[in-house]
Amino acid sequence: MNTADLGLPVEVPSTALFTDQYELTMLQAALAAGTAGRRSVFEVFTRRLPEGRRYGVLAGTGRVLDAVENFRFDPDLLGFLRERGIVDEPTLEWLASYRFGGDIWGYPEGEVYFPGSPVLRVEGSFAECVLLETVILSVLNHDSAIAAAASRMASAAGDRPLIEMGARRTHELAAVAASRAAYIGGFTSTSDLAAGFRYGIPTVGTSAHAFTLLHDHERDAFRAQVDSLGRGTTLLVDTYDVAEAVRTAVEVAGPGLGAVRIDSGDLLLVAHRVRRQLDELGATGTKIVVTSDLDEYAIASLAAAPVDAYGVGTQLVTGSGHPTCSMVYKLVARAESADPKAPLVPVAKKSTGGKTSVGGRKWAARRLDGQGVAEAEVIGVGPVPAELSDQQLLVQLVKGGQVLAREPLDVVRDRHAEARARLPLSATQLSRGEPVIPTEYV
């Protein structure tokens, strides 16, 4: 049961101060100038993918919806702003009743994206939209980076399950979000109990080296674990001598031992030796789990090894070298007044150094070839060409401030697997390259 994404009671604190100060000072100046009510359109996109990545993975949308709903300035927060003199009294009065009342459109969570893809579009008054910039970006940049790394690892692992075990390598709250993003990207379970409680992700875990070292003999540790957790448990066999540990493990648990875990050494060589030894001892059904600072390249290198599952920590929760997606939140259109009927005027920053953007409220579609394989990300302003009308990507997530629907995490996870399967085969190659499909503006 995915309690959070189904909207069941889970406490979430106010997200109103998960922001940068300049968002509030812009609000104050716009209120004073009479421009705060102008209808505005902001879009989230990235100008480029991290070096070597062929596609991006959108994750965190469900958490963004939670953040928007909980963006409230209670008396304590307003008192903090007043005490620091961050904004004036008229602005504080406006913030006291803040509720986002606009519309949000976006790519469905789990979809893939490319440079320029408008993965989220936020519409409303300038005042209500500008405040959401930082919290939206912090969620999407983090979660999408983890999901992209997870997706690459899942591609490298094939049908072998992946265990997320990076909680000890990142901030305690980021660890929960990372586990959620990893599950979207293709991981099957997590070691983090908070993630299991918060999002219903399957949890796993047995013992560490400390448990073996606690006991006088390795056999005693194995016996204690088997007596407590059953013969189907996973025994860690690389504390001392691997071959001796495997022999002892089978003697203690019998041929029905669930699995052994290897956490060090030349994993390719050791896995082959352990598989041979297990088979010779009659433990032909005992699985081999490998851990030890794995990334997608290490996982790919073990494709021919007799490995049954992988546990990944550090490299996953740090985005495998790319901890952010460099997404930005830009004003792309605004009206010249607060009149809801006032036409939108495209706006865009003009600059050099690769920070240009395209103005206008955009639609996006993914053009497929005759075999149903993606061949281009098409982005435009104005009417959608008839041939692309059934391939549009943006869906409405919030209408008039009300979240339209929340999805179980398994639905998001399945969506990503389907989206990745519709990409050209080269998308899953780990070799460096350009985005697997081009972005076309029309």
Side-chain angles (χ1 to χ4, degrees), residues 87-360:
V87 290
D88 60 19
E89 284 300 322
T91 305
L92 291 171
E93 292 177 10
W94 189 93
L95 292 172
S97 60
Y98 176 83
R99 301 290 186 273
F100 179 74
D103 300 336
I104 298 178
W105 295 71
Y107 281 32
E109 189 169 16
E111 255 294 355
V112 297
Y113 68 86
F114 299 91
S117 296
V119 295
L120 203 72
R121 191 175 73 217
V122 182
E123 305 182 17
S125 70
F126 176 84
E128 63 184 337
C129 295
V130 73
L131 295 181
L132 300 177
E133 175 182 4
T134 301
V135 69
I136 287 176
L137 289 179
S138 65
V139 171
L140 294 185
N141 269 314
H142 174 269
D143 290 22
S144 297
I146 306 304
S151 180
R152 285 162 59 86
M153 293 174 187
S155 293
D159 294 331
R160 298 172 179 176
L162 289 158
I163 307 163
E164 184 278 312
M165 48 197 307
R168 65 192 61 197
R169 303 302 189 204
T170 188
H171 185 280
E172 67 272 17
L173 297 182
V176 182
S179 181
R180 180 184 186 279
Y183 191 69
I184 291 171
F187 275 59
T188 53
S189 58
T190 179
S191 66
D192 189 72
L193 290 177
F197 172 76
R198 180 78 172 86
Y199 296 114
I201 301 169
T203 58
V204 297
T206 51
S207 67
H209 292 102
F211 186 76
T212 300
L213 296 170
L214 169 68
H215 293 79
D216 296 336
H217 303 284
E218 193 170 45
R219 180 181 296 271
D220 297 336
F222 288 173
R223 171 58 62 192
Q225 184 174 329
V226 170
D227 287 348
S228 177
L229 302 179
R231 298 179 186 277
T233 191
T234 299
L235 296 177
L236 181 58
V237 295
D238 71 326
T239 305
Y240 304 118
D241 178 84
V242 173
E244 181 62 28
V246 171
R247 185 178 303 108
T248 301
V250 176
E251 289 176 359
V252 169
L257 172 63
V260 296
R261 179 163 73 95
I262 306 166
D263 188 51
S264 60
D266 183 335
L267 297 178
L268 179 62
L269 176 63
V270 175
H272 277 287
R273 289 177 174 175
V274 168
R275 180 75 270 159
R276 185 183 312 114
Q277 185 180 10
L278 286 170
D279 291 345
E280 290 172 350
L281 294 170
T284 56
T286 299
K287 298 183 182 301
I288 297 175
V289 180
V290 296
T291 52
S292 185
D293 286 332
L294 299 178
D295 62 10
E296 59 265 51
Y297 301 101
I299 291 169
S301 73
L302 292 168
V307 171
D308 297 287
Y310 307 93
V312 189
T314 303
Q315 292 301 319
L316 175 66
V317 299
T318 57
S320 194
H322 297 290
T324 181
C325 302
S326 298
M327 289 181 179
V328 295
Y329 183 92
K330 296 298 181 184
L331 181 66
V332 297
R334 52 87 175 167
E336 295 182 346
S337 73
D339 184 348
K341 297 180 181 179
L344 290 171
V345 178
V347 294
K349 173 184 177 181
K350 293 183 179 180
S351 66
T352 58
K355 285 196 171 184
T356 57
S357 57
V358 178

